Amino acid sequence: ALETDLAARRGQWPPTPPSHSASPTARLHKWRVAELSAEEAVALRADVHGWLRRGVSTRSGLLDKVDINGNGRVAAFELEQGLLRLRLDWRETGARTLLDLFLLLDRDARNELGAEEIAPADLWPLEETPVPQPRRQKTHGRVGGGRA
């Protein structure tokens, strides 16, 4: 029943608030990573990725906003600053702390988020390649090409 409920919610944002009953999903409202089952973590991670997409239109745009120092890895402080840049409030995720949100995304437990952890490529449509602009020919200050 829990797996069915989580699968039905996957990708929805905001997640449906928990009911006040004693259902197993009620504890997902203010979650801690240590308290989540593997299935709950996978479903929440998908929800969080959907939530992150609200702030930008492209994967590279998201990575540019959260990778503050441009080293290709996102530390916890960069996630915090990036969310501020995106005008996203981490508390909307239902996490008890920002660190819980960070740890949920940090699948390899390296204390840094790689591009696939913060913005999995399979969740983003292919980005359009910018069209190169034609180069303008230099006229060296001449207008009209020459002498009359």
Side-chain angles (χ1 to χ4, degrees), residues 2-130:
L2 175 62
E3 292 82 14
T4 305
D5 182 50
L6 291 173
R9 289 187 323 105
R10 182 169 288 140
Q12 290 181 357
W13 200 265
T16 53
S19 65
H20 294 288
S21 66
S23 74
T25 57
R27 69 188 179 103
L28 295 180
H29 182 60
K30 286 290 182 187
W31 53 267
R32 297 190 70 94
V33 170
E35 300 168 353
L36 297 175
S37 69
E39 295 83 18
E40 291 169 331
V42 167
L44 274 173
R45 197 174 293 119
D47 286 347
V48 168
H49 286 136
W51 172 75
L52 285 169
R53 290 185 65 178
R54 291 186 334 174
V56 291
S57 59
T58 63
R59 180 177 189 247
S60 61
L62 174 61
L63 296 172
D64 288 345
K65 293 283 187 182
V66 296
D67 186 10
I68 307 294
N69 63 10
N71 69 349
R73 306 291 294 172
V74 177
F77 81 91
E78 288 177 294
L79 179 63
E80 179 181 25
Q81 293 300 309
L83 292 177
L84 288 172
R85 285 175 159 190
L86 294 166
R87 298 176 186 227
L88 295 174
D89 185 352
W90 63 267
R91 291 173 285 244
E92 293 177 14
T93 65
R96 285 193 186 161
T97 66
L98 179 60
L99 181 60
D100 281 309
L101 176 61
F102 181 83
L103 293 174
L104 175 73
L105 296 172
D106 188 18
R107 292 184 313 225
D108 60 9
R110 292 178 141 182
N111 294 324
E112 292 181 312
L113 303 176
E116 280 301 309
E117 291 172 311
I118 194 81
D122 61 333
L123 298 179
W124 293 83
L126 293 177
E127 294 184 21
E128 293 183 21
T129 308

